[in-house]
Amino acid sequence: MTKPRNPKPQMAAKTPKAARPTATSGRSVGNPSVPGAVVNRRAVDRLRAGHLWVYASDVESITPPKLGETLLAVADNRGLFLGTALYSPSSQIALRLVSRDALDEAGWLGLLESRLRAAIARRKPMLDAANDACRLCFSEADELPGLVVDKYGDLVILQFLAKGLLDPGVAKTCVRVLRDELMLAAIMERSDPRIRELEGLPAPNLDPLWLADHARPTASAQFHLNGLVFHYDANAGQKTGAFLDQRTNYAAAREWVQKLGAAKSGVNSIRALDVFCYQGGFALHLSQVCSMVTGIDASRASLEVAERNLEANRSCITADVDWIEADAFEILRDWSQAPRSSGVSYDIIVLDPPAFAKTKRAVEGALRGYKELNLRALKMIRPGGLLVTCSCSHHVSWADLESAVASAAADASRRVRLLERRGAAPDHPVVLNLPETEYLKCLVLEVE
Ligand code: SAH
């Protein structure tokens, strides 16, 4: 797939004329009567390396934007201009660079439009009838810091996760571009409340931003991932819709089980366990190639959607599927301690826990959690079976996760062979200059 070229250079050529004269040189940045931010050496180095963030602790002085404006010119302490950023006064990430050039508010909306169009163009080749859901825009990875856009069938959900994006012009531009690029029934905003709180932002507006038919307000949709049907309900009060980032890993788990089945030549007896199953993403894919599938989650509301999803796919599912509402740590501890003869065992176990380490400081505790889960799971996997183990914490590195699993394997006296290291689906791209865009890690292991 050829990706469209980055639209930045064209915008850069257009914008300086319209920009505030002070912003182009940066000479007035630091002058308390002119909006702008002066940042320290550490921030300069990070921006030069291609990053887009400036932490509040790296800002030396700031004159906030005028009322109703969202952008700040950024300069180093000698007045050298570095770019234009969205300003978030209450966030630890005080500045998110949107351009290396000077930009006024109108120029920024133009840039937003061209970057959103480019982000959608990058996703279009990934969409078809069997996959009509994806992340259309992934914040910094699409050069639109704080903007997340997900498509579920003909419903689009926007998240505005930085203060500078609350300007009504931003929502208007997004709606216009989305309507122009895609055939949709509705566009809504459902911003992650936890991030909104961290950013000091008010609760988002729940009214639809746009409806194709006002007589039929649509807040729910059916969508397809790898040919399976799923439900999304914007009014269900759940934080997220589907975990679209796992789409390619669902398909991979299904394929690995098919290979395992072929090797075992007893396809009918394959048992799968999906721990932290949410609305059944892995479980439903596995139920096409296994005979028994169990999904475990602590959230009853999620399991109710999982059951609905199961019903919607009945015609292509062969397995007996059951859902257990339980704490994963407790149930795995009980099961893995059962005497061997009566013990529960599986041909494949998927572990996809929530992010245990939301900060760097939480990594040590998180690794203990990963080790315990993997240890319990490994004890329950039949020889020759598969372990699909994931971490969605950016702060937990590949090496961290792999050594937690290695240590669990040693304690369980099992040898594990790495079949694949997998990341998020390509609609959640990793940008190498922005390490934070890499978070999801998925190991596929064969357990001897
Ligand atoms: N595998 C899922 C995503 C999992 S998200 C998918 O692909 O769609 C993490 C899930 O873990 C959430 O559904 C949450 O309800 C569940 N969860 C969090 N803590 C839990 C616990 N202690 N025990 C069981 N489930 C838990």
Side-chain angles (χ1 to χ4, degrees):
M1 185 184 63
T2 342
K3 289 192 175 178
R5 286 207 164 270
N6 186 330
K8 202 166 96 182
Q10 297 133 34
M11 290 311 302
K14 265 194 233 151
T15 47
K17 247 193 246 159
R20 283 190 293 270
T22 52
T24 46
S25 66
R27 256 173 285 133
S28 301
V29 177
N31 172 349
S33 62
V34 181
V38 175
V39 301
N40 69 13
R41 185 78 230 163
R42 201 164 36 181
V44 173
D45 290 345
R46 190 179 295 112
L47 294 177
R48 292 245 165 86
H51 212 295
L52 302 178
W53 292 352
V54 176
Y55 292 105
S57 54
D58 290 338
V59 176
E60 290 187 348
S61 69
I62 207 152
T63 306
K66 293 189 195 117
L67 201 68
E69 297 193 351
T70 53
L71 299 172
L72 279 183
V74 183
D76 71 6
N77 55 19
R78 288 169 307 164
L80 195 71
F81 179 74
L82 296 163
T84 308
L86 293 171
Y87 174 49
S88 296
S90 313
S91 171
Q92 278 186 36
I93 306 163
L95 300 165
R96 291 171 169 89
L97 211 68
V98 290
S99 174
R100 306 270 162 185
D101 300 294
L103 206 61
D104 65 3
E105 305 280 328
W108 153 233
L109 291 182
L111 194 58
L112 166 68
E113 169 166 352
S114 62
R115 287 191 183 159
L116 184 55
R117 283 192 198 278
I120 296 170
R122 281 192 280 273
R123 299 331 189 268
K124 278 188 179 168
M126 302 176 201
L127 290 165
D128 56 27
N131 288 291
D132 59 3
C134 77
R135 178 150 290 184
L136 293 171
C137 174
F138 186 28
S139 198
E140 284 81 4
D142 287 294
E143 286 190 286
L144 290 171
L147 180 66
V148 172
V149 185
D150 289 328
K151 174 181 181 327
Y152 298 102
D154 57 7
L155 186 59
V156 162
I157 304 297
L158 296 171
Q159 298 195 54
F160 302 118
L161 301 171
K163 183 163 190 287
L165 300 178
L166 301 196
D167 168 42
V170 169
K172 249 194 190 154
T173 304
C174 292
V175 168
R176 185 162 47 78
V177 170
L178 287 161
R179 286 183 55 192
D180 208 30
E181 296 284 345
L182 302 158
M183 287 289 291
L184 299 173
I187 302 174
M188 319 198 79
E189 182 192 349
R190 290 291 180 274
S191 295
D192 182 336
R194 194 186 66 86
I195 302 183
R196 291 278 287 219
E197 205 180 310
L198 285 176
E199 291 285 312
L201 305 179
N205 179 11
L206 297 184
D207 295 334
L209 294 172
W210 176 80
L211 288 173
D213 181 353
H214 283 268
R216 286 192 299 122
T218 320
S220 62
Q222 276 203 346
F223 62 94
H224 300 83
L225 296 177
N226 307 309
L228 286 165
V229 183
F230 292 84
H231 290 95
Y232 175 74
D233 186 350
N235 291 337
Q238 292 257 349
K239 178 180 82 71
T240 344
F243 288 89
L244 300 172
D245 51 0
Q246 289 283 28
R247 178 176 57 86
T248 41
N249 297 331
Y250 298 152
R254 187 170 63 186
E255 266 172 46
W256 278 112
V257 170
Q258 264 168 330
K259 286 182 196 153
L260 179 79
K264 266 183 74 170
S265 72
V267 189
N268 288 336
S269 67
I270 294 184
R271 291 177 53 143
L273 180 64
D274 178 5
V275 189
F276 306 96
C277 67
Y278 187 57
Q279 299 174 349
F282 279 104
L284 295 176
H285 283 76
L286 294 175
S287 67
Q288 295 186 293
V289 288
C290 294
S291 48
M292 289 174 71
V293 178
T294 299
I296 296 175
D297 203 282
S299 153
R300 173 175 291 253
S302 298
L303 295 179
E304 282 168 0
V305 182
E307 179 63 21
R308 262 187 90 193
N309 290 339
L310 171 65
E311 287 313 317
N313 291 290
R314 271 283 174 219
S315 60
C316 62
I317 280 174
T318 45
D320 286 336
V321 181
D322 66 333
W323 311 110
I324 300 178
E325 181 188 343
D327 179 88
F329 285 91
E330 285 174 16
I331 201 164
L332 289 190
R333 192 175 311 132
D334 291 351
W335 286 0
S336 65
Q337 280 171 355
R340 244 182 207 289
S341 53
S342 62
V344 202
S345 65
Y346 292 93
D347 298 284
I348 170 166
I349 298 183
V350 178
L351 298 173
D352 184 19
F356 288 152
K358 296 216 164 92
T359 60
K360 238 189 219 159
R361 254 180 283 154
V363 170
E364 217 180 288
L367 293 178
R368 280 195 296 275
Y370 287 117
K371 177 173 172 187
E372 163 154 6
L373 285 173
N374 282 281
L375 172 62
R376 305 287 172 200
L378 283 166
K379 287 187 175 173
M380 293 192 291
I381 295 178
R382 287 187 195 148
L386 298 168
L387 173 64
V388 176
T389 187
C390 309
S391 162
C392 57
S393 303
H394 159 71
H395 299 289
V396 172
S397 66
W398 285 103
D400 288 338
L401 178 65
E402 285 169 17
S403 71
V405 179
S407 160
D411 286 8
S413 307
R414 304 297 296 268
R415 251 170 75 95
V416 290
R417 193 175 294 117
L418 184 59
L419 298 174
E420 263 193 297
R421 278 189 189 98
R422 306 184 55 89
D427 50 332
H428 294 63
V430 173
V431 176
L432 294 180
N433 304 78
L434 302 167
E436 292 80 2
T437 55
E438 181 172 39
Y439 64 101
L440 182 62
K441 294 155 197 96
C442 171
L443 304 174
V444 183
L445 302 149
E446 186 189 322
V447 184
E448 280 186 11

